[in-house]
Amino acid sequence: MALRNIVQEGDEILRKRCREVEEVNERIRTILDDMVETMRDAQGVGLAAPQVGILRRMFVAEPEPGRLYYFINPQITMQEGRVEGEEGCLSVMGYAGTVARPEKITIKGLDRDGKPQEYTFEGFDARVMCHESDHLDGILYVDKARDVYDVTAQVEAADEEV
């Protein structure tokens, strides 16, 4: 496994629609493993292939430590409810904003071994899966967010108050 560079906002690759993975093979599994290592190193909860410069429809997500998901060619087949919450992104470092997402989703796709899988997620887990899925269509959370703010400025301001 290896750490990969995380592409930052402004790089055109983040705005492109990804192509489907045609065959789940050892190369794809290696990329997924690298993505997990990179995501964890950056202290993220999800990472999509275009964020490491690969235009393929796949992402990894770990909404809480030890609960890791691999999605290849994911499709959100059901959305229910609406809830707003704060989001950030490893490709838009230092910023956060409020985004409306479905409260509950069902998502299907292939797992790390190319086997079909389907999950229903609610709350934060649903938010993570929607956020990563958006990356595969060239959409960043800042495209949907309101009240985007500089996290580092708020941390510095809080430090000054202490």
Side-chain angles (χ1 to χ4, degrees), residues 82-113:
R82 205 99 188 118
V83 64
E84 288 191 346
E86 188 172 274
E87 293 186 23
C89 181
L90 296 176
S91 289
V92 188
M93 292 300 293
Y95 291 88
T98 303
V99 181
R101 299 273 188 197
E103 171 64 23
K104 183 177 181 179
I105 66 163
T106 298
I107 184 170
K108 68 178 185 176
L110 303 177
D111 69 9
R112 187 179 179 281
D113 296 315

Side-chain angles (χ1 to χ4, degrees), residues 30-154:
T30 297
I31 293 168
L32 289 167
D33 291 343
D34 289 353
M35 288 170 59
V36 169
E37 186 175 351
T38 302
M39 171 189 69
R40 287 175 172 166
D41 182 71
Q43 299 179 4
V45 295
L47 191 67
Q51 292 181 273
V52 293
I54 299 168
L55 284 172
R56 291 289 183 263
R57 297 189 75 76
M58 57 186 188
F59 69 80
V60 296
E62 191 172 32
E64 64 181 47
R67 202 159 45 82
L68 181 62
Y69 299 92
Y70 299 87
F71 275 98
I72 299 169
N73 300 332
Q75 294 179 305
I76 296 174
T77 59
M78 184 278 296
Q79 298 182 32
E80 187 177 290
R82 205 99 188 118
V83 64
E84 288 191 346
E86 188 172 274
E87 293 186 23
C89 181
L90 296 176
S91 289
V92 188
M93 292 300 293
Y95 291 88
T98 303
V99 181
R101 299 273 188 197
E103 171 64 23
K104 183 177 181 179
I105 66 163
T106 298
I107 184 170
K108 68 178 185 176
L110 303 177
D111 69 9
R112 187 179 179 281
D113 296 315
K115 293 183 172 46
Q117 62 180 345
E118 182 175 274
Y119 291 95
T120 297
F121 294 107
E122 293 186 49
F124 180 71
D125 292 9
R127 175 173 301 283
V128 171
M129 302 308 160
C130 288
H131 177 111
E132 298 311 325
S133 183
D134 274 355
H135 275 296
L136 307 182
D137 292 322
I139 300 167
L140 297 177
Y141 88 94
V142 291
D143 300 335
K144 298 180 171 189
R146 63 176 176 78
D147 302 329
V148 176
Y149 65 93
D150 183 337
V151 175
T152 55
Q154 284 201 342

